[in-house]
Amino acid sequence: MMFAPGSHLGILGGGQLARMTALAARRLGYRVSIYDPAGDDAPAAPVCDQVFGAAYDDPAGLERFACSVDVASYEFENIPVAALQTVGRGCPVYPGWAVLEICQHREREKLFLHRHGFPHAAFRVVTDAAGLAAAVAELGTPCVLKTAESGYDGKGQLKIEPGADLSQAWREWSGGEPRRGVVEAWVEFVAELSVICARNGQGQLLPFPVFENVHTHHILDVTLCPARLPPEVQMRARELACAVTEALDVRGLLAVEMFLTRGGEVVVNELAPRPHNSGHLTFDASLTSQFEQHVRAVCDLPLGAPDLLCPVVMVNLLGDLWPEGAAPDWRAVLDEPWAKLHLYGKEEAKPGRKMGHFCVLAPALDTAFEKARTIKARLQSGRSF
Ligand SMILES: Nc1ncnc2c1ncn2[C@@H]1O[C@H](COP(=O)(O)OP(=O)(O)O)[C@@H](O)[C@H]1O
Ligand SMILES: [Mg+2]
């Protein structure tokens, strides 16, 4: 069923992804409501028609939200599946709760990939220090212990180096609480990449071009497009992402994060059923942004062309750039006419917090990258020039 422009779209979660989705939806003529415990303080609140400020475990609040919108989606993984099910009794929710149930839980996600024969790093599920020791013995070091639930931007991850004291590592990681984790073999990757796929209710499936991602301290730092990778690798990555999207029966977006190994293999790292940080550059450099495509897919409109119009580099702006809470001098970005600044309207800057991003476009990717690096250095130097 199609929810034509003019319908009312609801988004669970009111962070920057909801904010940018709402901006794209409004341009198409949709009304937008968000549901976020932070209420009017949520980054998406100022650009929405209505804000529902209640907890994710408040059935009455969720029902009110569901009854006031025509169709709903969500912008982050750590929403309880039960909340989606409650909303689903009042209006359709896409991607469906079964997709979120897999993607929000690293163990279920890994098992899903494994069952469907998609390539992934070797892993073991662990629940105690003895299990960790057995997993490390099998997978070798280095390896990485990741939380099964609620991890993002590298939170809940511990790299285990050769000779590590595993009992102590488990104690530190678990904080003495019962906890489930996934131990992953270390992947010696030559590049990280992502492919965002859109799929609507008719089964129309379109991937965006491959994004090349550079992470610093486990957080996305820079994304480049076109990716500097051989065409056959890019083809493989897009095919793989499309196959995962089909297998999960996604209606909406699915972001597939991948590694390119030294041996030339493309390996799936993790999945996100929503707009993704690596796709932010589509807002400035693509015919259809990931946010518009998300709205089109969820509302079952025909999908727009995901083609890249111009080489582009995106740089994340983390709270670290706000020394003592003061915003940097934005002239560093604004002085470059081919640069685009995006700020998410967050009041408080904390280290590691995503406050905004900027994109630099140029006829050649190298030029865009060089300019982006210069702008970042200017922002970091704190000088206004
Ligand atoms: N098995 C691994 N081998 C090598 N690097 C890894 C591995 N797992 C994660 N990383 C690094 O840490 C980053 C964040 O890990 P990821 O699993 O994507 O978690 P998050 O949910 O925090 O994004 C990855 O993008 C990658 O740079
Ligand atoms: Mg990740």
Side-chain angles (χ1 to χ4, degrees):
M1 181 185 163
M2 177 164 133
F3 297 93
S7 310
H8 198 152
L9 171 68
I11 306 172
L12 288 150
Q16 65 267 21
L17 300 175
R19 179 180 168 107
M20 289 184 272
T21 303
L23 291 171
R26 287 186 130 187
R27 208 174 64 165
L28 274 168
Y30 287 90
R31 284 173 296 147
V32 183
S33 289
I34 56 156
Y35 187 101
D36 192 303
D40 288 336
D41 291 334
V47 303
C48 286
D49 296 84
Q50 220 180 331
V51 179
F52 291 78
Y56 290 123
D57 60 359
D58 173 0
L62 292 164
E63 277 161 27
R64 269 199 305 280
F65 170 74
C67 292
S68 77
V69 301
D70 297 311
V71 58
S73 188
Y74 45 91
E75 63 122 36
F76 86 127
E77 276 108 294
N78 297 326
I79 293 175
V81 167
L84 244 55
Q85 290 168 331
T86 304
V87 173
R89 285 191 282 276
C91 73
V93 183
Y94 301 110
W97 62 262
V99 176
L100 182 70
E101 190 174 46
I102 292 171
C103 297
Q104 74 177 189
H105 195 274
R106 211 177 279 275
E107 177 183 342
R108 285 197 283 267
E109 188 173 272
K110 283 274 191 287
L111 291 171
F112 165 84
L113 294 170
H114 188 71
R115 266 201 300 277
H116 286 79
F118 296 121
H120 55 79
F123 71 95
R124 297 286 182 275
V125 177
V126 293
T127 53
D128 56 24
L132 177 63
V136 173
E138 284 181 308
L139 298 173
T141 47
C143 57
V144 53
L145 172 60
K146 300 182 179 180
T147 182
E149 286 175 285
S150 306
Y152 70 98
D153 288 344
K155 291 188 174 60
Q157 296 194 14
L158 182 66
K159 187 174 177 186
I160 295 177
E161 302 287 356
D165 179 336
L166 297 177
S167 309
Q168 195 195 332
W170 180 266
R171 262 199 311 279
E172 264 174 35
W173 179 82
S174 66
E177 301 289 322
R179 218 169 152 193
R180 272 183 106 72
V182 173
V183 183
E184 265 178 47
W186 193 250
V187 179
E188 293 289 349
F189 58 80
V190 290
E192 289 195 74
L193 50 150
S194 55
V195 174
I196 299 174
C197 289
R199 186 166 172 270
N200 67 13
Q202 313 296 309
Q204 189 191 4
L205 175 66
L206 275 182
F208 278 91
V210 174
F211 303 133
E212 180 183 341
N213 302 320
V214 181
H215 291 81
T216 304
H217 307 304
H218 300 276
I219 305 181
L220 184 65
D221 189 2
V222 179
T223 298
L224 304 95
C225 193
R228 298 162 302 176
L229 300 168
E232 60 276 13
V233 168
Q234 302 203 32
M235 190 111 79
R236 169 79 186 124
R238 278 158 54 107
E239 281 169 4
L240 194 52
C242 286
V244 176
T245 307
E246 288 278 6
L248 268 174
D249 193 19
V250 171
R251 171 161 158 187
L253 291 188
L254 184 75
V256 183
E257 294 179 15
M258 293 169 267
F259 298 122
L260 174 63
T261 67
R262 271 203 196 138
E265 206 195 341
V266 178
V267 171
V268 178
N269 173 30
E270 62 168 354
L271 311 173
R274 53 166 173 78
H276 189 260
N277 195 165
S278 64
H280 289 3
L281 53 78
T282 59
F283 228 163
D284 297 317
S286 302
L287 202 52
T288 308
S289 74
Q290 64 163 345
F291 305 104
E292 177 178 341
Q293 201 75 306
H294 182 55
V295 174
R296 284 175 177 250
V298 165
C299 296
D300 205 14
L301 309 185
L303 299 178
D307 301 57
L308 188 77
L309 299 174
C310 181
V312 57
V313 172
M314 189 254 359
V315 178
N316 265 341
L317 297 167
L318 302 183
D320 312 56
L321 281 171
W322 274 242
E324 285 136 42
D329 186 340
W330 296 123
R331 274 178 299 182
V333 187
L334 300 171
D335 277 348
E336 167 51 54
W338 282 58
K340 309 294 275 183
L341 178 65
H342 298 251
L343 294 172
Y344 309 146
K346 297 183 183 177
E347 285 289 323
E348 199 192 342
K350 283 185 265 186
R353 187 170 198 211
K354 290 173 178 169
M355 303 295 286
H357 67 271
F358 69 88
C359 288
V360 183
L361 288 78
L365 185 70
D366 285 353
T367 315
F369 199 17
E370 207 37 60
K371 285 183 172 179
R373 271 202 286 246
T374 307
I375 291 171
K376 176 88 185 275
R378 246 182 98 178
L379 286 171
Q380 279 169 327
S381 77
R383 282 179 292 141
S384 52
F385 290 76

